Amino acid sequence: MSAPQARTRREFGRPLNFKRGVIELSHGSGGRAMAQLINELFAKYLANPWLEQGNDQACLELPAGRVAMTTDSYVISPLFFPGGDIGSLAVHGTINDIAMSGARPLHLSAGFIIEAGFPLRDLKQIVESMAGAARAAEVAVVTGDTKVVERGKADGVFINTTGIGVIPAGLHLSGDLAQPGDCILINGTIGDHGVAVMSERTELDFEVSVVSDSAALHDLVRVMVAAAPQIRCLRDPTRGGLATTLNEIARQSNVGMVIQEAAIPVLPEVSAVCELLGLDPLYVANEGKLIAVCPPQHAQSLVDAMKDHPLGRKSALIGEVAADPHHFVRMRTAFGGSRVVDWLSSEQLPRIC
Amino acid sequence: MCLAIPARVSQIYDDDRAIIEIDGVQKEISLALVDDVAIGDFVIVHVGYALGRLDPAEAEKTLELLKGISPTSSETIVS
Amino acid sequence: MKYIDEFRDGVTASGVAKQMTLEVKPERKYNLMEFCGGHTHAIYRYGVRDLLPDNVNMIHGPGCPVCVLPIGRLDMALHLADRDGVTLCTYGDMLRVPGSKGRSLLKAKAEGADIRMVYSAADALKLAHQLPEQQVVFFAIGFETTTPPTAVAIQTAQARGLENFTVFCNHVLTPSAIANILESPDVRVLGTVPIDGFLGPAHVSVVIGYQPYEFFAREYHKPVVISGFEPLDVMQSILMLIRQLNSGRAEVENQYIRAVSRHGNIKAKRMVAEVFELRRQFEWRGLGVVPYSALRINDRYSQFDAEARFNLNYAPAKEHNGCECGAILRGVLQPMDCKLFATACTPDTPMGSCMVSSEGACAAHYIYGRYQDAAETA
């Protein structure tokens, strides 16, 4: 592939300096600098037939069936954290939102808003990671956009991804379908992502070896709907944690829930960090977890199928849907009492009292 | 009030600085408020400072007492 | 987690609960005040109330430093943060508390004030080093537990000759608050708040010891049990109070023997005495003006006193109309008795301080306990 390289050089002058270069306003202004950034970075790493066409849009042929579509913007500090970065996160998060409908995710778009002065080396690392995540998930980033804002008007990089997927015929999952008596399942330990991100924030100043659970869950979902097509709903408990997602489903389905504290998987390190900072793991973010609600007679075979998948080894049945006009999510504590598990009220802050 | 947790001291440095450990989590704290802390001691940590020592023998005593509080089995059946 | 998980064991808890049921006298009520937000939090978070006999009634006390700080003091912090050249450092707990006109530190930060959340007074010192052009002010709140770390920070600042570091001191004293509750007409004369005994502070007592409470047991004939903050500690302490009340005793007992002694941490107390002195009086939210109930930085360290350096003056501020935080902090009312509770006042839109701190009685009840109200009204 030496010919395109040579042509690149002629078209744009010197290649981008990924060692010491930084993003400048011209990289977002629609001129030659932007074309060079797209050519030498985005198109190169995210390469696929749609991007290669170089059009302002991707023209897609979709398989038959209902189409699921979602969009999400990623703003995270720090941009790099144990177990991932904003690039892989922007792929996993949107794939997961598609997958929670039971759909097979097919295509993504990616919009970047970059702060002037951002190191090209970091941007390259983010794009490479994004490309790796998309490749592993067999999903293509088929169209994109880049904007550069003045220094101080953004926090490094913001990414928006939109995704589409196709739902297999006959499958209907929705947050309003939970019924009293249904079982609630989760595919592993909660709070890993939030704690991994917090551990990189210098002002909190603690060390822990927990890595983010950031992962694309569509293959696990494929296995799950094959094992139990009767699943009522799936949802990924990201921001706001397990507690907030359970409350969302309870309200949507007009039901209550009763969960068992002792059944919810939590890593000891995550418990310890939460103890230290006065946080509750139920409200700490996840990026590779899903909650499934299914009729009780299918719960066991579903858990078994989940445990056979690499992303579901620590799956557990954590509670049941109950009739409750107040939509309370209640928790039977390991101590033997019970309490409400409420919505998250704004971001959890470390506390001293 | 006053979130504080017991933690094991795993390293001690100059200037009253020390590292505590709880289940694989390490954090630097200050020992300025407690004298003669040794590695392996448990201290009560609040806002990054050791406030006092935790006495393992007294902790065991309390636990034993707690476990012994349960009524005898015959009484349990009555209740 | 060593020395934590053992004290949250459900099997042991059910044994203690059964024994408690056997020992309570059915003909009487046991009205016990848990002074500390730490106990309130444990009671709600672990569902301890479900394990208590029906005639054991827990009354939430004022032991939450966020809840008792009057709006006027928070307004002073807001004024400070608004000044050019000032970086205000605060514990995360204070960020969302609404000051006058509903303005919080978080809102002030969004409007451009330089407000930083810190985990420790030492972090504020570090910032003062890093920002030599800024006046770094540490917004110090808390009871005897949090005071010694502030004293260390002030002494360190002096030793290092840090000229851009000051402390806005709001440290308050537990025994004065307990005395104020016991002396209040609600308790002493009217009897509207029947208090038979106290769960005494855990971590405050690590510092001050249990000796200061002996006066209450003697003078007011109320039993006090110093109690750890884990749920089994709370259960055991309640059982100890029941036993004292059943046998007519009023003593100070120490359940938290693994960390509390009679005289506490003498070194920490000495450092506090070196840096601080008693204020003649201090306003508490809910309790009003309480004599000799708070600390200020003494003359030797006055160069680190933000009130002196920035010429700050305290002006009492008006509470929200209809907010019952005061009565709730004194134990006169329960959260559900307040008209604003769960209607205008929720953790998302807190009106009063009891709804802000997760240790506040209202927030704890809202977040953890509301289903009980629903069950009662159903």
Side-chain angles (χ1 to χ4, degrees):
Chain A
M1 298 287 278
S2 60
Q5 276 281 324
R7 198 170 65 228
T8 299
R9 243 169 237 170
R10 272 202 306 280
E11 261 180 79
F12 301 118
R14 294 197 323 169
L16 290 172
N17 183 343
F18 285 113
K19 276 206 181 108
R20 278 181 295 278
V22 297
I23 285 289
E24 295 163 27
L25 284 173
S26 59
H27 286 124
S29 60
R32 186 166 284 162
M34 192 173 103
Q36 183 181 16
L37 181 69
I38 291 170
N39 203 37
E40 293 179 24
L41 182 63
F42 293 107
K44 178 174 169 193
Y45 289 99
L46 298 167
N48 58 59
W50 295 276
L51 281 185
E52 272 156 34
Q53 286 171 358
N55 290 325
D56 284 348
Q57 71 291 115
C59 298
L60 309 165
E61 304 273 350
L62 295 181
R66 290 192 305 145
V67 172
M69 176 172 175
T70 188
T71 191
D72 210 338
S73 298
Y74 297 84
V75 294
I76 186 166
S77 175
L79 296 168
F80 302 93
F81 49 84
D85 56 59
I86 190 170
S88 53
L89 191 65
V91 170
H92 293 155
T94 296
I95 285 181
N96 291 346
D97 282 348
I98 292 282
M100 294 308 118
S101 68
R104 190 180 132 224
L106 296 170
H107 305 296
L108 294 180
S109 73
F112 281 72
I113 295 172
I114 313 170
E115 187 182 6
F118 190 72
L120 277 171
R121 178 215 295 249
D122 289 351
L123 187 61
K124 180 175 167 226
Q125 194 181 335
I126 289 166
V127 174
E128 278 183 303
S129 154
M130 182 175 228
R135 209 177 309 119
E138 297 178 1
V139 169
V141 179
V142 294
T143 184
D145 177 53
T146 309
K147 293 284 186 304
V148 178
V149 294
E150 283 172 42
R151 199 174 178 120
K153 300 267 170 78
D155 188 8
V157 179
F158 300 149
I159 302 177
N160 171 278
T161 51
T162 293
I164 53 172
V166 172
I167 301 168
L171 196 62
H172 183 61
L173 308 182
S174 178
D176 58 1
L177 298 176
Q179 291 177 22
D182 283 353
C183 289
I184 305 165
L185 294 78
I186 191 161
N187 67 319
T189 53
I190 59 166
D192 302 5
H193 174 74
V195 164
V197 170
M198 278 184 254
S199 74
E200 287 297 298
R201 299 210 343 227
T202 48
E203 76 271 16
L204 297 178
D205 193 29
F206 65 86
E207 307 250 332
V208 67
S209 57
V210 173
V211 296
S212 167
D213 59 348
S214 179
L217 294 169
H218 59 301
D219 193 61
L220 173 64
V221 171
R222 181 184 58 79
V223 169
M224 288 170 70
V225 295
Q230 303 83 355
I231 294 177
R232 315 252 199 224
C233 84
L234 296 173
R235 190 157 296 177
D236 52 340
T238 53
R239 277 173 310 165
L242 175 63
T244 301
T245 302
L246 290 177
N247 274 285
E248 283 168 12
I249 298 172
R251 187 175 61 178
Q252 252 185 297
S253 292
N254 198 17
V255 293
M257 292 183 179
V258 181
I259 56 172
Q260 305 292 333
E261 186 178 25
I264 301 169
V266 188
L267 289 175
E269 293 89 340
V270 170
S271 295
V273 168
C274 287
E275 208 61 47
L276 199 61
L277 299 178
L279 308 177
D280 185 338
L282 290 171
Y283 295 93
V284 179
N286 310 280
E287 288 294 346
K289 291 294 160 330
L290 58 77
I291 295 164
V293 177
C294 81
Q297 62 272 29
H298 303 291
Q300 195 53 52
S301 56
L302 184 56
V303 172
D304 292 343
M306 289 164 75
K307 283 185 173 172
D308 279 342
H309 193 278
L311 294 176
R313 296 269 183 259
K314 291 186 188 160
S315 295
L317 206 166
I318 58 168
E320 284 179 12
V321 177
D324 179 355
H326 301 285
H327 310 158
F328 281 129
V329 175
R330 285 192 282 154
M331 182 162 82
R332 206 57 208 152
T333 67
F335 193 68
S338 71
R339 63 173 247 211
V340 168
V341 175
D342 199 19
W343 296 79
L344 174 70
S345 48
S346 57
E347 191 195 358
Q348 279 202 116
L349 296 169
R351 57 190 181 90
I352 63 146
C353 63
Chain B
M1 143 189 75
C2 312
L3 195 84
I5 60 171
R8 188 181 165 277
V9 175
S10 60
Q11 290 169 63
I12 296 178
Y13 303 119
D14 302 342
D15 292 341
D16 294 323
R17 288 176 310 124
I19 305 287
I20 49 139
E21 210 213 285
I22 313 155
D23 280 9
V25 180
Q26 280 105 35
K27 176 160 180 63
E28 186 181 309
I29 63 151
S30 163
L31 295 177
L33 295 166
V34 190
D35 285 327
D36 304 324
V37 173
I39 288 175
D41 285 356
F42 277 80
V43 289
I44 306 278
V45 179
H46 174 62
V47 298
Y49 289 79
L51 283 187
R53 230 180 288 265
L54 182 141
D55 184 331
E58 296 286 10
E60 290 311 321
K61 231 188 266 176
T62 303
L63 274 175
E64 253 166 59
L65 202 63
L66 274 164
K67 286 184 180 139
I69 284 176
S70 178
T72 59
S73 51
S74 62
E75 282 169 318
T76 314
I77 292 162
V78 174
S79 71
Chain C
M1 289 167 284
K2 187 80 180 145
Y3 303 122
I4 297 179
D5 295 333
E6 304 94 307
F7 292 93
R8 295 177 183 174
D9 178 57
V11 177
T12 313
S14 92
V16 179
K18 280 179 194 143
Q19 186 62 29
M20 220 184 267
T21 314
L22 293 176
E23 291 194 30
V24 286
K25 295 185 175 161
E27 70 274 15
R28 66 161 293 173
K29 263 201 139 188
Y30 299 83
N31 297 298
L32 312 176
M33 175 177 269
E34 87 268 7
F35 182 80
C36 288
H39 293 131
T40 308
H41 190 76
I43 288 169
Y44 277 109
R45 177 159 180 180
Y46 299 98
V48 170
R49 282 216 299 197
D50 295 343
L51 285 92
L52 299 179
D54 290 341
N55 55 342
V56 172
N57 176 36
M58 300 307 294
I59 302 162
H60 315 309
C64 158
V66 177
C67 305
V68 296
L69 191 78
I71 295 176
R73 298 291 295 184
L74 174 57
D75 286 345
M76 289 164 81
L78 282 159
H79 287 311
L80 255 179
D82 285 337
R83 290 167 86 128
D84 281 338
V86 168
T87 297
L88 185 81
C89 299
T90 175
Y91 291 125
D93 309 58
M94 284 309 303
L95 277 172
R96 273 198 283 265
V97 186
S100 284
K101 299 190 187 114
R103 189 162 179 256
S104 65
L105 289 171
L106 214 54
K107 279 189 189 155
K109 186 178 161 79
E111 289 160 14
D114 187 1
I115 295 170
R116 316 278 180 104
M117 185 187 73
V118 293
Y119 177 80
S120 161
D123 298 343
L125 271 184
K126 240 182 259 170
L127 261 177
H129 273 292
Q130 289 162 6
L131 307 169
E133 304 298 307
Q134 284 290 100
Q135 283 292 327
V136 174
V137 184
F138 176 57
F139 184 11
I141 60 153
F143 286 93
E144 290 90 335
T145 332
T146 323
T147 313
T150 308
V152 174
I154 291 174
Q155 289 190 321
T156 311
Q158 190 181 55
R160 293 186 193 159
L162 261 184
E163 288 181 355
N164 65 330
F165 176 78
T166 51
V167 170
F168 175 40
C169 176
N170 294 279
H171 288 303
V172 287
L173 302 171
T174 308
S176 332
I178 296 183
N180 182 271
I181 291 168
L182 286 168
E183 283 291 346
S184 76
D186 298 315
V187 175
R188 263 224 143 156
V189 189
L190 305 170
T192 38
V193 184
I195 298 177
D196 299 319
F198 284 94
L199 288 187
H203 298 135
V204 160
S205 307
V206 170
V207 175
I208 69 172
Y210 61 80
Q211 186 269 337
Y213 310 98
E214 289 169 358
F215 169 78
F216 302 114
R218 250 195 339 264
E219 181 68 18
Y220 300 94
H221 206 72
K222 304 280 185 198
V224 179
V225 174
I226 308 303
S227 169
F229 282 147
E230 295 304 334
L232 273 178
D233 291 324
V234 172
M235 295 279 292
Q236 187 179 26
S237 302
I238 291 172
L239 182 60
M240 288 164 81
L241 280 172
I242 290 170
R243 286 174 177 173
Q244 282 207 43
L245 290 166
N246 283 352
S247 58
R249 286 179 294 133
E251 298 161 9
V252 174
E253 288 181 301
N254 180 16
Q255 181 275 337
Y256 198 36
I257 50 172
R258 60 189 186 277
V260 170
S261 62
R262 183 155 186 266
H263 293 291
N265 181 338
I266 290 166
K267 184 182 186 187
K269 287 197 290 188
R270 211 174 46 226
M271 291 178 89
V272 168
E274 161 74 19
V275 175
F276 298 101
E277 63 188 21
L278 276 176
R279 287 180 197 261
R280 194 178 293 276
Q281 59 177 43
F282 194 79
E283 190 185 335
W284 292 53
R285 207 169 181 178
L287 303 183
V289 174
V290 182
Y292 299 107
S293 63
L295 298 174
R296 45 169 291 190
I297 296 166
N298 66 26
D299 288 343
R300 274 196 302 280
Y301 294 89
S302 61
Q303 78 219 67
F304 300 104
D305 188 347
E307 286 177 75
R309 182 171 304 181
F310 299 98
N311 219 350
L312 299 176
N313 288 304
Y314 177 67
K318 211 173 153 295
E319 291 281 344
H320 188 281
N321 269 347
C323 171
E324 298 285 8
C325 276
I328 291 165
L329 285 166
R330 290 195 306 276
V332 178
L333 292 182
Q334 295 283 319
M336 305 78 83
D337 301 329
C338 177
K339 282 198 303 286
L340 303 180
F341 179 79
T343 54
C345 186
T346 68
D348 292 305
T349 54
M351 299 286 184
S353 55
C354 299
M355 191 56 99
V356 177
S357 164
S358 73
E359 299 206 335
C362 294
H365 190 72
Y366 187 95
I367 298 168
Y368 297 134
R370 265 178 310 146
Y371 69 95
Q372 289 151 338
D373 304 344
E376 278 159 25
T377 55

